[in-house]
């Protein structure tokens, strides 16, 4: 390296600020045999000619300089030798760069921030003292303090002062004699003249290592932030055991992590072809959790929740899966967890309120805030399995689900964290199986204040169905034996309902796309479409507004408020995003209405006797919405039987002629194909008992 430095110029002025950056004795003149002196001269000359590689940020007291280390290596002829010195002793490297830039800027204090080095997946003992880069999520933030860097001692005899760097363990050095007058025991610490910097400690989740932040980085990051840290790995002696040392990182460059999921050319072509043909959304549904047979409506709702909307208040669309054991709720939840770029999975049987939100701890006069699952999942998904088991923590979810924040007020600490997370949860009935004669609240023991915050609630009930059970058993056997393609598992028979009026479930079945998408590609697609800003067209606005006004007049089971209107907007925006559109069309709005109607029926009609009443005391049911034709056949069947029960109470008889059955079906706009076959199926299931002469009796005890 000495060959690069020509001793034809006096560089001794560079040593005038040596003590500001080095904790070593300063020499009077430049020594070309000293590698540090050579580095200072090399960087001084290099930055004189290539000032453009430095990204300056000026503040009143110092200059912050960000440098891409890969660009710096390219500008140096002896790059390999210099890189070796950087690996072995990065502190001298950083101090030499800072001193050189400071000399070029009127000796103003400089902080050097080097970045763009490969990320380290783990830390070993060989990494101590080296400059590394790691990525992680902040789980703990400490309070900001002042850290003494150089202690100033004043001689009480001659009034001269000298500055000394603090020891490596943080202790203040002992100075007994004045170097000016030679007096002993006259040196007194002057705190006002000492050099101190802002200081804060944070802890990363992935490697469970503490990071030391200084200067401008203090109070810039919060618990839950995902960051990339460049710094030097150091050790400090444990407070309790003298032979034990703890690793930490002194950060020099910190930035928020930017997840860039890059697509290959083949993936771009596949996605564009599917989007051009309007098949992307249905292909994602077909490839969502292929181990679970059916449940296309639930899978579509989960995809909409993962993407979210583009509103100014909150973008998260929360989803709840309720049902009997063995219906695949946890598998669907884990697949949703797999598809999110930032996701936290929590089991309701092993979580506390602090584990969900945040906690405050005090250690050595330091206040430490530990982030919980909702804070760590900021701008991501929090998957809560068995939410019914965490009843004491339900109230902790209310603020996060609606205001998207977590407010902390305990132990003299007042702060607020972002919790812009989508909550996807599962729940089991309190009695093991869902009781249709009871409401959803009675089955789950969950308050309505929490249920009303979910945009979609799906009920998965285990009911015997010969045709479906046969296909389910074939699906499971084929999936485990790997005999057929996973896309073929979701195929169903041809829909018998006329195309003019098909249910949502039938429409999803009829749009089977035989395009296999690996979950890695699905993850990239969801991460990409989340950034699309979709806007409602005038037609979509009118359609959603008219539907909202209609259900406000015919509300059943739950109050219809502006929350439901905002849910419809978010769901329609998510549908447009999954089709790679920036405009929400009437088709997107209608799909959001249909899937919301399915969820609305699931949750608040749980058998006879659970119908709500309107202000006049009259029974109110979902058939007043005049939109039951989009519901699945089992749900239309239940509405039809509920309507027959209401008519039977009016005429005081459970017997109906075929003509009365047809009039009732026409009144509620029943769409189940051939009505005669439908009545025969009800007779076979003992819901309508044939008494002869085309007279049927309603079996109220069904």
């Amino acid at each position: 390296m000495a060959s690069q430095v020509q001793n034809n110029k006096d560089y001794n002025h560079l040593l005038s600020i040596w003590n500001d950056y080095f904790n070593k004795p300063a020499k009077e003149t430049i020594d070309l045999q000293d590698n540090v002196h050579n580095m200072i001269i090399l960087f001084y000359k290099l930055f004189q000619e290539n000032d453009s590689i430095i990204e300056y940020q000026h503040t009143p007291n110092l200059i912050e300089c960000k440098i891409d280390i890969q660009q710096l290596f390219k500008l140096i002829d002896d790059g390999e030798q210099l890189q070796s010195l950087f690996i072995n002793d990065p502190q001298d490297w950083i101090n030499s760069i800072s001193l050189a830039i400071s000399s070029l800027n009127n000796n103003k204090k400089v902080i050097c921030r080097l970045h763009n080095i490969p990320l380290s997946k783990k830390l070993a003992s060989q990494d101590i003292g080296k400059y590394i880069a790691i990525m992680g999520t902040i789980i703990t933030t400490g309070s900001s303090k002042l850290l003494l860097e150089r202690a100033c001692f004043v001689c009480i005899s001659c009034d001269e002062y000298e500055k000394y760097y603090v020891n490596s363990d943080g202790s203040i050095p002992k100075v007994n004699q004045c170097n000016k007058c030679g007096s002993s025991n006259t040196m007194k610490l002057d705190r006002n003249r000492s050099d101190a910097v802002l200081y804060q400690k944070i802890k990363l989740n992935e490697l469970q290592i503490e990071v030391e932040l200084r200067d401008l980085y203090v109070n810039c990051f919060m618990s839950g932030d995902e960051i990339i840290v460049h710094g030097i790995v150091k050790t400090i002696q444990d407070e309790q055991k003298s032979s034990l040392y703890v690793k930490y990182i002194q950060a020099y460059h910190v930035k928020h992590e930017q997840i860039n999921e890059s697509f290959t050319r083949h993936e771009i072509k596949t996605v564009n072809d599917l989007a051009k043909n309007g098949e992307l959304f249905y292909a994602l549904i077909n490839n969502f959790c292929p181990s679970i047979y059916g449940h296309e409506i639930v899978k579509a709702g989960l995809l909409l929740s993962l993407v979210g909307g583009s509103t100014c208040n909150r973008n998260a669309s929360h989803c709840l899966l309720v049902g009997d054991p063995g219906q695949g709720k946890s598998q669907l939840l884990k697949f949703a967890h797999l598809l999110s770029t930032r996701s936290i999975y929590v089991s309701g049987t092993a979580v506390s309120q602090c584990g969900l939100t945040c906690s405050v701890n005090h250690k050595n006069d330091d206040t430490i805030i530990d982030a919980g699952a909702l804070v760590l999942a900021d701008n991501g998904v929090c998957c809560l399995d068995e939410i019914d088991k965490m009843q004491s923590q339900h109230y902790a979810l209310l603020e996060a689900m609606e205001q998207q924040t977590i407010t902390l007020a305990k132990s003299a600490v007042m702060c607020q964290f972002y919790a812009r997370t989508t909550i996807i949860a599962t729940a089991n009935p309190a009695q093991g199986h869902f009781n249709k004669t009871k409401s959803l609240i009675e089955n789950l023991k969950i308050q309505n204040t929490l249920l009303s915050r979910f945009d979609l609630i799906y009920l998965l009930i285990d009911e015997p169905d010969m045709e479906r059970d046969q296909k389910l058993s074939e699906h499971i056997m084929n999936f485990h034996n790997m005999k057929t393609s996973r896309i073929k598992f979701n195929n169903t028979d041809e829909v018998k309902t006329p195309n003019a009026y098909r249910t949502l479930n039938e429409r999803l079945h009829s749009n089977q796309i035989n395009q296999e998408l690996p979950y890695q590609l699905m993850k990239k697609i969801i991460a990409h479409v989340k950034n699309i800003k979709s806007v409602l067209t005038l037609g979509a606005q009118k359609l959603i507004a008219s539907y909202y006004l209609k259900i406000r007049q015919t509300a059943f089971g739950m109050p219809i408020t502006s929350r439901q209107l905002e849910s419809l907007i978010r769901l329609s925006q998510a549908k447009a995003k999954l089709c790679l559109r920036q405009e929400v069309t009437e088709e997107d709005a209608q799909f959001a209405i249909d899937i919301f109607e399915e969820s609305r029926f699931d949750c608040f009609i749980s058998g006879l006797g659970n119908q709500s009443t309107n202000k006049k005391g009259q029974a109110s049911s979902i058939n007043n919405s005049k939109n039951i034709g989009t519901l699945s056949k089992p749900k239309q069947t239940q509405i039809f039987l509920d309507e027959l029960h209401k008519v039977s109470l009016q005429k005081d008889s459970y017997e109906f002629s075929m003509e009365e059955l047809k009039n009732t079906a026409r009144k509620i706009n029943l769409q189940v194909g051939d009505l005669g076959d439908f009545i025969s199926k009800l007779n076979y299931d003992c819901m309508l008992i044939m008494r002869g002469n085309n007279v049927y009796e309603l079996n109220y005890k069904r």
Side-chain angles (χ1 to χ4, degrees):
M1 186 185 298
S3 60
Q4 294 187 18
V5 180
Q6 298 178 1
N7 198 13
N8 57 359
K9 186 176 181 180
D10 186 11
Y11 294 104
N12 291 332
H13 68 281
L14 298 176
L15 301 180
S16 62
I17 54 175
W18 173 274
N19 291 330
D20 292 338
Y21 298 96
F22 290 93
N23 187 15
K24 302 176 183 179
K27 296 182 180 180
E28 295 182 358
T29 59
I30 288 290
D31 183 6
L32 295 182
Q33 302 301 319
D34 190 326
N35 284 334
V36 175
H37 286 196
N38 280 304
M39 280 196 295
I40 294 173
I41 299 173
L42 177 63
F43 289 134
Y44 181 80
K45 296 175 63 178
L46 183 67
F47 295 137
Q48 273 185 321
E49 302 172 359
N50 301 277
D51 186 67
S52 59
I53 70 169
I54 304 175
E55 182 182 344
Y56 287 101
Q57 183 176 348
H58 294 270
T59 63
N61 299 322
L62 55 86
I63 302 175
E64 188 179 27
C65 301
K66 298 180 181 179
I67 302 174
D68 188 326
I69 197 168
Q70 303 301 330
Q71 294 184 10
L72 185 59
F73 283 145
K74 292 178 181 179
L75 295 175
I76 302 173
D77 297 335
D78 243 351
E80 293 184 1
Q81 182 182 357
L82 198 62
Q83 188 172 358
S84 176
L85 290 173
F86 171 70
I87 293 174
N88 295 326
D89 196 352
Q91 190 68 65
D92 284 346
W93 233 76
I94 295 172
N95 293 340
S96 299
I97 293 177
S98 301
L99 190 150
I101 297 176
S102 176
S103 300
L104 294 171
N105 290 272
N106 299 322
N107 294 339
K108 195 172 184 180
K109 184 179 179 181
V110 170
I111 297 178
C112 175
R113 307 201 184 279
L114 303 177
H115 62 94
N116 193 18
I117 64 173
L119 293 174
S120 299
K121 299 296 183 181
K122 59 181 180 179
L123 290 181
S125 58
Q126 295 82 0
D127 295 323
I128 296 175
K130 295 183 179 179
Y131 197 84
I132 66 165
I134 62 170
M135 180 175 62
T137 303
I138 301 176
I139 59 172
T140 298
T141 55
S143 57
S144 60
K145 298 180 178 181
L146 280 176
L147 177 66
L148 193 66
E149 280 192 331
R150 288 201 301 172
C152 181
F153 289 89
V154 180
C155 179
I156 59 177
S157 297
C158 62
D159 204 27
E160 292 291 334
Y161 69 89
E162 296 179 9
K163 291 185 178 182
Y164 297 87
Y165 279 95
V166 297
N167 299 325
S168 58
D169 59 355
S171 60
I172 299 176
K174 295 181 180 180
V175 181
N176 297 321
Q177 187 175 12
C178 177
N179 294 329
K180 300 292 184 181
C181 65
S183 303
S184 299
N185 300 324
T186 58
M187 303 300 290
K188 182 180 178 181
L189 179 65
D190 188 348
R191 299 183 184 276
N192 294 329
R193 293 184 181 181
S194 299
D195 298 337
V197 295
L198 286 174
Y199 168 87
Q200 184 183 26
K201 272 190 177 182
I202 61 175
K203 190 174 184 180
L204 300 185
N205 184 27
E206 281 70 11
L207 298 177
Q208 292 292 316
I209 189 171
E210 288 188 340
V211 177
E212 189 180 277
L213 303 179
R214 297 187 182 186
D215 299 307
L216 301 180
Y217 286 143
V218 174
N219 292 330
C220 289
F221 302 96
M222 300 173 59
S223 296
D225 289 349
E226 291 195 3
I227 60 175
I228 297 177
V229 178
H230 294 73
I232 300 176
V233 181
K234 296 185 176 182
T235 59
I236 189 171
Q237 190 175 15
D238 188 81
E239 298 175 355
Q240 299 178 352
K241 298 180 180 180
S242 59
S243 61
L244 186 64
Y245 286 79
V246 180
K247 296 193 298 289
Y248 73 95
I249 297 177
Q250 182 179 343
Y252 283 91
H253 183 272
V254 186
K255 67 175 182 178
H256 284 95
E257 178 193 4
Q258 296 179 351
I259 301 175
N260 296 320
E261 295 286 353
S262 57
F263 292 84
T264 64
R265 291 184 178 180
H266 176 70
E267 290 173 342
I268 293 175
K269 183 179 183 302
T270 301
V271 174
N272 288 338
D273 291 344
L274 289 172
K276 188 180 299 182
N277 298 328
E279 299 174 346
L280 179 60
F281 178 56
Y282 301 102
L284 291 170
I285 294 176
N286 294 343
N287 288 272
F288 191 99
C289 195
S291 62
I292 298 298
Y293 173 79
H295 295 312
E296 283 82 5
I297 295 178
V298 179
K299 294 177 180 180
L302 289 173
L303 281 171
L304 297 181
S305 295
L306 287 173
V307 173
S310 303
T311 59
C312 57
N313 295 328
R314 80 169 160 102
N315 298 329
S317 295
H318 310 304
C319 183
L320 175 64
L321 307 183
V322 181
D324 299 330
Q327 297 301 300
K329 302 186 299 296
S330 295
Q331 285 182 267
L332 291 169
L333 184 68
K334 288 186 177 180
F335 198 85
H337 167 68
L338 185 67
L339 290 184
S340 178
T341 54
R342 185 174 186 181
S343 180
I344 300 293
Y345 183 89
V346 176
S347 175
T349 58
V351 66
S352 63
Q353 180 185 348
C354 294
L356 275 179
T357 55
C358 52
S359 62
V360 177
N361 300 309
H362 297 281
K363 181 180 179 182
N364 297 334
D365 297 329
D366 189 13
T367 301
I368 300 174
I369 301 177
D370 295 327
L374 296 176
V375 178
L376 295 177
D378 183 37
N379 286 324
V381 177
C382 184
C383 299
L384 301 178
D385 199 4
E386 300 190 24
I387 192 176
D388 54 294
K389 303 297 190 300
M390 42 186 291
Q391 295 184 9
S392 59
Q393 288 81 38
H394 285 170
Y395 64 91
L397 297 171
L398 300 181
E399 181 188 0
M401 294 181 70
E402 191 64 31
Q403 280 73 41
Q404 302 280 271
T405 57
I406 295 292
T407 303
L408 183 66
K410 54 177 74 171
S411 301
V413 176
M414 298 286 294
C415 58
Q416 190 176 72
F417 298 95
Y418 284 119
R420 297 160 294 189
T421 176
T422 298
I423 293 180
I424 302 178
T426 65
N428 291 318
Q431 298 178 351
H433 289 274
F434 196 87
N435 189 346
K436 289 186 177 181
T437 62
K438 296 182 179 180
S439 67
L440 185 68
I441 298 176
E442 293 172 332
N443 272 280
L444 295 181
K445 307 298 183 183
I446 295 178
Q447 296 181 356
N448 192 38
T449 52
L450 179 61
L451 289 178
S452 65
R453 283 167 164 78
F454 285 99
D455 298 65
L456 296 173
I457 303 179
Y458 290 109
L459 196 58
L460 307 179
I461 301 179
D462 186 13
E463 294 180 321
D465 187 321
M466 181 64 70
E467 182 180 357
R468 185 184 182 280
D469 291 345
Q470 182 179 0
K471 292 179 180 179
L472 176 60
S473 62
E474 292 176 358
H475 165 78
I476 294 175
M477 297 299 296
N478 289 334
F479 187 84
H480 284 284
N481 293 332
M482 300 297 178
K483 288 184 177 180
T484 56
S485 170
R486 65 177 184 174
I487 301 299
K488 187 177 180 180
F489 296 150
N490 286 337
N491 287 342
T492 58
D493 296 337
E494 185 178 355
V495 179
K496 297 179 181 179
T497 307
N499 292 333
Y501 208 103
R502 295 180 298 173
T503 68
L504 175 61
N505 201 33
E506 289 169 345
R507 295 206 304 271
L508 293 177
H509 276 310
S510 64
N511 284 283
Q512 295 287 326
I513 308 300
N514 294 325
Q515 175 67 53
E516 184 172 346
L517 299 177
Y519 81 89
Q520 295 91 342
L521 177 57
M522 295 177 64
K523 187 174 183 178
K524 293 179 183 180
I525 294 173
I526 291 174
H528 172 73
V529 301
K530 284 185 70 173
N531 298 322
I532 298 177
K533 302 296 182 182
S534 53
V535 181
L536 273 71
T537 60
L538 184 60
Q541 293 179 23
K542 291 181 178 179
L543 187 60
I544 293 176
S546 62
Y547 172 74
Y548 170 71
L549 294 176
K550 182 167 59 178
I551 62 175
R552 279 278 291 177
Q553 301 300 321
T554 60
F556 68 95
M558 69 169 179
I560 300 297
T561 64
S562 59
R563 274 185 188 164
Q564 282 66 43
L565 177 60
E566 292 178 350
S567 295
L568 290 168
I569 295 174
R570 287 191 292 267
L571 293 173
S572 59
Q573 289 175 333
K575 171 62 167 57
K577 290 181 178 182
L578 287 167
C579 296
L580 300 184
R581 290 196 302 266
Q582 292 183 337
E583 289 188 348
V584 179
T585 63
E586 294 184 32
E587 179 187 354
D588 300 324
Q590 186 60 52
F591 184 88
I593 291 172
D594 292 344
I595 202 167
F596 178 81
E597 195 80 8
E598 285 277 348
S599 170
R600 197 164 73 106
F601 180 88
D602 267 349
C603 306
F604 302 99
I605 296 293
S606 300
L608 298 176
N610 282 321
Q611 296 176 351
S612 63
T613 56
N614 56 24
K615 293 180 180 179
K616 297 180 180 180
Q618 300 172 340
S620 175
S621 62
I622 195 172
N623 54 48
N624 293 331
S625 68
K626 299 181 182 180
N627 196 36
I628 72 166
T630 61
L631 298 175
S632 60
K633 288 181 181 179
K635 296 172 184 176
Q636 293 190 62
T637 300
Q638 186 170 346
I639 295 174
F640 178 64
L641 296 175
D642 289 348
E643 185 67 22
L644 290 179
H645 176 66
K646 188 168 70 172
V647 175
S648 68
L649 294 178
Q650 294 175 355
K651 70 175 191 174
D652 197 22
S653 174
Y654 285 109
E655 293 186 350
F656 295 87
S657 66
M658 178 59 76
E659 188 63 28
E660 288 177 320
L661 294 175
K662 289 182 179 179
N663 291 336
T664 303
R666 195 179 301 113
K667 176 184 176 182
I668 64 174
N669 199 14
L670 191 69
Q671 300 290 334
V672 290
D674 186 85
L675 185 61
D677 294 340
F678 177 67
I679 299 298
S680 299
K681 180 71 166 53
L682 294 180
N683 180 39
Y684 178 79
D685 294 336
C686 297
M687 296 181 179
L688 288 176
I689 302 174
M690 187 174 183
R691 296 304 183 187
N693 297 325
N694 283 334
V695 175
Y696 293 84
E697 180 182 351
L698 175 65
N699 185 8
Y700 178 64
K701 296 181 180 180
R702 62 187 186 278

